[in-house]
Amino acid sequence: MKLYQSPASPYARKVAVVAHETGLIDQIEMAAVTTAPGAPDADVAKANPVKKIPALVTDDGLSLFDSPVICEYLDSQHEGTKVFPEPGNARWHALRVQAAADGLLDAALLIIYEGRIRPEELHYKPWTDAQMGKIDGALAALNEWSADFGDRVDIGTISAGCALGYLDFRFPNKDWRGANRALATWYERFSARPSMQATKPPAA
């Protein structure tokens, strides 16, 4: 399998963490690419019609894209403990956490793009503030739900861990821990997992 990814991408990190947790990491060629809005990588464009990372090409040539889809595919390729729970309440809870974490990341990336791509004189603070409001909303929900995370390693907790890691990576001055102590305590423990340590983003 070949994964088109960037070490700085939180969505690619989520896939890599799943690959580590499922024991598949050695079966995946990690193809680091440089891509940006308006300047997609040519190989990524071939593997993903919306020209975004991560994108996975399986051994039989099937291209898969969007991190939840790739993660679910990887989870189908091993015989160990699954990161996607079986149908039932546990699965819905895990998928809900994943959705909140991915929503946090969507808003965070929009803020990053606003700062990097649009000329400074065109920055629109109310829009950026609205995105930060989405981040804070997701953090509050994750903080509440974290009381039930325990030592779970599923697609929800993996997504949450990668989202919080991205905040530390790209928004180092944001004190998200101050208002979300339960979540911070959980993250300190979860981020020590070998899969999280092996996939830390590069120094900003």
Side-chain angles (χ1 to χ4, degrees):
M1 293 180 280
K2 187 171 188 176
L3 181 70
Y4 294 100
Q5 51 85 35
S6 165
S9 165
Y11 303 107
R13 185 186 188 190
K14 181 169 71 168
V15 173
V17 170
V18 168
H20 277 277
E21 294 287 351
T22 57
L24 296 172
I25 190 65
D26 291 337
Q27 299 179 36
I28 302 173
E29 177 188 350
M30 294 290 185
V33 298
T34 300
T35 186
D41 177 86
D43 289 328
V44 171
K46 292 178 184 177
N48 181 354
V50 296
K51 305 175 183 179
K52 294 167 60 177
I53 56 172
L56 179 77
V57 179
T58 69
D59 290 338
D60 59 1
L62 176 67
S63 63
L64 297 170
F65 39 90
D66 203 30
S67 60
V69 175
I70 298 172
C71 289
E72 190 161 7
Y73 173 79
L74 293 179
D75 206 34
S76 74
Q77 300 300 300
H78 71 104
E79 299 301 325
T81 302
K82 301 297 186 179
V83 298
F84 282 81
E86 293 295 323
N89 282 340
R91 183 179 182 88
W92 292 121
H93 282 288
L95 293 179
R96 180 174 71 162
V97 173
Q98 177 182 222
D102 284 358
L104 185 158
L105 288 176
D106 290 344
L109 283 165
L110 287 174
I111 294 173
I112 294 295
Y113 293 155
E114 175 79 1
R116 289 184 176 178
I117 297 173
R118 288 171 65 88
E120 185 174 356
E121 65 273 13
L122 296 179
H123 290 182
Y124 186 52
K125 189 174 184 299
W127 187 87
T128 302
D129 290 346
Q131 303 310 313
M132 190 57 73
K134 296 176 184 179
I135 292 173
D136 291 336
L139 285 169
L142 292 171
N143 186 62
E144 178 183 350
W145 302 336
S146 66
D148 297 324
F149 287 175
D151 294 324
R152 281 169 29 204
V153 181
D154 60 29
I155 194 58
T157 57
I158 290 170
S159 300
C162 292
L164 297 175
Y166 189 73
L167 285 185
D168 285 346
F169 176 49
R170 292 298 192 198
F171 298 84
N173 295 324
K174 181 175 177 59
D175 179 23
W176 64 265
R177 290 171 174 81
N180 302 283
R181 293 307 307 161
L183 183 61
T185 298
W186 168 81
Y187 176 66
E188 182 177 2
R189 185 173 68 253
F190 191 84
S191 63
R193 293 189 65 81
S195 62
M196 292 290 287
Q197 290 295 308
T199 58
K200 289 193 295 187

